[in-house]
Amino acid sequence: MTQGGKKKKRAVNRSIMLAKKIIIKDGGTPQGIGSPSVYHAVIVIFLEFFAWGLLTAPTLVVLHETFPKHTFLMNGLIQGVKGLLSFLSAPLIGALSDVWGRKSFLLLTVFFTCAPIPLMKISPWWYFAVISVSGVFAVTFSVVFAYVADITQEHERSMAYGLVSATFAASLVTSPAIGAYLGRVYGDSLVVVLATAIALLDICFILVAVPESLPEKMRPASWGAPISWEQADPFASLKKVGQDSIVLLICITVFLSYLPEAGQYSSFFLYLRQIMGFSSESVAAFIAVLGILSIIAQTIVLSLLMRSIGNKNTILLGLGFQILQLAWYGFGSEPWMMWAAGAVAAMSSITFPAVSALVSRTADADQQGVVQGMITGIRGLCNGLGPALYGFIFYIFHVELNELPMPESPSGGSVVTQYRLQQNSIIPGPPFLFGACSVLLALLVALFIPEHTNLNVRSSNWKKHGGSHGHPHSPQAPGEAKEPLLQDTNV
């Protein structure tokens, strides 16, 4: 037993030293091109999500071909498992990156997030299985935000995070349309090959060009430093929710409003394609328009509303738009209704930045990380629960197709729309109506949140370990809380 333990210890030490050599050159000089910068992080994010954006249309087709009888249920389960695994693993990966550095974990998360891409044409079953399991490492944004936090001052972090989020949105504005065009002209196989090549390019860029952002913190002793359970506990932030009544109201509001949003993002483009009869090009155009309008809403419109009607009223307005949008999706039976509801959806995207701004303005400086961490934890939990809940509601209401999509008409519609109307003409989208009811409850809870108050939550060791939870938990200014339109788990 003793000899075996020594051998294992020597093997671990060799692995640690090998990983260290990959990240740091002799003398502790970071590898890569130039000094660490926000632009390195921006390129990593753009390439990863551009590759996945290209596969938007092919993924919808393969999903329905693989699971023809329970498409929405299986989609919800796949995305739900991925989301829950990401929620559970994010704090541990954040804690390990604090000790081992960001570059190695950027490489790890990008590799495993993009690993399913080539499997789409090799084996669809393995493709979806690997997607669900890849949630353990699908936390690129956590590591990227930590990378950005390492190399920016506090007053510049808001702009840097905004640039990363805008890059994410920009990649999804353009790539679905490009993928749909290439798939129609040259076939989906070319799109998969191109997406795989871009993912490999991203991995090579990290290996060759991205410098380590934490070289000065890497000392040989730190590589063997223990990671406490508090650092790796995904529920650590949620345990503090009930310590302040105002924080409790804010967290309930976030949970009730983001749960349907997470479910919606996981299934809505499949809903447009298979139930509403949208063509691949129409789905790509919808994503692009929604992305552009959301960027405008979260910048110009949000700023005007915050100055004119105040923080709390902006939250209530955003929740009101979300209720209207979800109800419209639920009862909408024509493509033009989806487009109109999409415009309303862009306005509803102001809710979460307004909530984070309220927290930043009312919480004390030493409480910011605690409360923001709770909100981030709740959103991570919703990323797992929302897709599974939507898939289950689609299943129990029998909103399914038992045949492949019909040939598209010149107007972009198809016989699928008629089939869907015959199957369920009263409530085409039951999960969206459930979401509208959930957001209505969130609106009623938000009415009791005071505009100005002092939040009081015991932070205990949170500040000590705050960086270990992937820097979205660290203190943020209002602008820093503007997260991407779609999360890692919902692409």
Side-chain angles (χ1 to χ4, degrees):
M1 292 295 291
T2 304
Q3 291 179 350
K6 289 182 179 179
K7 288 181 180 179
K8 289 182 180 179
K9 188 173 182 180
R10 285 197 296 270
V12 171
N13 289 336
R14 284 197 298 269
S15 301
I16 288 175
M17 293 307 297
L18 178 60
K20 189 174 181 180
K21 287 178 181 178
I22 293 175
I23 300 174
I24 307 177
K25 290 182 178 179
D26 293 335
T29 304
Q31 292 181 341
I33 298 176
S35 58
S37 69
V38 177
Y39 299 106
H40 289 100
V42 161
I43 294 174
V44 170
I45 286 295
F46 181 84
L47 290 176
E48 176 181 331
F49 289 99
F50 190 88
W52 274 109
L54 289 172
L55 297 176
T56 301
T59 297
L60 300 181
V61 175
V62 172
L63 181 65
H64 182 67
E65 291 177 347
T66 308
F67 309 106
K69 292 186 178 180
H70 304 299
T71 309
F72 288 101
L73 177 63
M74 294 306 301
N75 175 67
L77 292 177
I78 291 168
Q79 298 298 334
V81 169
K82 184 178 180 181
L84 284 175
L85 290 177
S86 296
F87 167 71
L88 294 173
S89 66
L92 177 60
I93 291 180
L96 291 174
S97 73
D98 286 340
V99 177
W100 290 3
R102 314 300 182 198
K103 180 171 179 172
S104 57
F105 283 92
L106 275 177
L107 185 63
L108 189 71
T109 56
V110 171
F111 175 81
F112 281 100
T113 302
C114 296
I117 291 177
L119 295 175
M120 177 179 285
K121 286 299 179 182
I122 299 174
S123 172
W125 281 93
W126 276 106
Y127 170 71
F128 290 113
V130 175
I131 280 182
S132 59
V133 176
S134 70
V136 175
F137 298 100
V139 289
T140 306
F141 265 102
S142 294
V143 184
V144 164
F145 283 157
Y147 188 96
V148 170
D150 293 337
I151 59 179
T152 55
Q153 300 296 324
E154 189 171 351
H155 66 277
E156 359 178 77
R157 206 162 292 156
S158 175
M159 183 178 296
Y161 283 167
L163 181 60
V164 172
S165 296
T167 302
F168 172 89
S171 68
L172 292 180
V173 164
T174 55
S175 54
I178 295 174
Y181 172 77
L182 292 177
R184 188 182 77 249
V185 177
Y186 301 104
D188 289 343
S189 296
L190 177 65
V191 180
V192 174
V193 171
L194 179 60
T196 303
I198 293 174
L200 291 174
L201 176 63
D202 196 11
I203 292 172
C204 293
F205 177 79
I206 296 173
L207 282 171
V208 176
V210 175
E212 176 55 55
S213 63
L214 283 175
E216 72 282 356
K217 293 185 179 180
M218 291 186 179
R219 300 290 184 264
S222 69
W223 286 75
I227 303 295
S228 70
W229 170 245
E230 183 178 359
Q231 291 174 277
D233 184 7
F235 298 96
S237 61
L238 303 183
K239 294 174 182 176
K240 301 181 177 68
V241 167
Q243 294 180 5
D244 184 278
S245 58
I246 307 303
V247 172
L248 181 61
L249 290 175
I250 293 174
C251 289
I252 292 175
T253 301
V254 171
F255 179 82
L256 291 174
S257 62
Y258 192 70
L259 183 67
E261 185 176 343
Q264 170 192 329
Y265 281 142
S266 70
S267 60
F268 186 63
F269 302 131
L270 176 65
Y271 181 78
L272 291 179
R273 182 78 174 91
Q274 306 291 356
I275 301 299
M276 297 306 300
F278 273 46
S279 65
S280 299
E281 292 77 12
S282 298
V283 172
F286 189 95
I287 296 173
V289 172
L290 181 60
I292 293 172
L293 291 178
S294 295
I295 292 172
I296 296 173
Q298 293 187 51
T299 53
I300 300 173
V301 177
L302 178 63
S303 178
L304 293 174
L305 289 174
M306 294 282 280
R307 286 198 300 264
S308 58
I309 65 176
N311 208 153
K312 178 182 175 179
N313 289 331
T314 301
I315 295 173
L316 297 176
L317 183 63
L319 293 173
F321 277 119
Q322 190 177 0
I323 294 171
L324 177 60
Q325 159 224 336
L326 289 169
W328 211 336
Y329 282 156
F331 286 111
S333 58
E334 299 294 335
W336 70 266
M337 296 180 180
M338 300 297 104
W339 284 98
V344 178
M347 283 299 302
S348 70
S349 66
I350 65 176
T351 303
F352 183 70
V355 168
S356 296
L358 177 65
V359 170
S360 280
R361 291 180 179 182
T362 56
D364 294 334
D366 62 346
Q367 300 289 309
Q368 293 274 337
V370 184
V371 185
Q372 295 284 8
M374 295 177 194
I375 294 174
T376 304
I378 288 173
R379 284 168 64 87
L381 187 61
C382 289
N383 280 331
L385 298 178
L389 180 63
Y390 264 50
F392 180 70
I393 295 175
F394 273 124
Y395 173 72
I396 62 176
F397 278 88
H398 307 291
V399 182
E400 288 293 345
L401 290 176
N402 295 320
E403 56 190 61
L404 292 174
M406 296 295 182
E408 295 168 1
S409 66
S411 61
S414 68
V415 185
V416 174
T417 304
Q418 297 178 1
Y419 178 84
R420 193 266 311 152
L421 287 174
Q422 293 173 2
Q423 176 129 352
N424 196 342
S425 58
I426 299 177
I427 305 177
F432 304 112
L433 290 183
F434 169 84
C437 296
S438 178
V439 179
L440 178 60
L441 293 176
L443 178 64
L444 296 177
V445 173
L447 289 172
F448 295 94
I449 300 175
E451 180 78 39
H452 301 288
T453 186
N454 290 323
L455 303 181
N456 182 23
V457 181
R458 294 185 296 276
S459 59
S460 61
N461 294 326
W462 186 267
K463 288 186 285 183
K464 178 180 177 181
H465 301 299
S468 305
H469 293 261
H471 283 274
H473 289 190
S474 57
Q476 296 177 335
E480 294 178 18
K482 295 176 185 176
E483 294 192 0
L485 305 176
L486 302 178
Q487 306 298 315
D488 292 31
T489 57
N490 299 328
V491 176

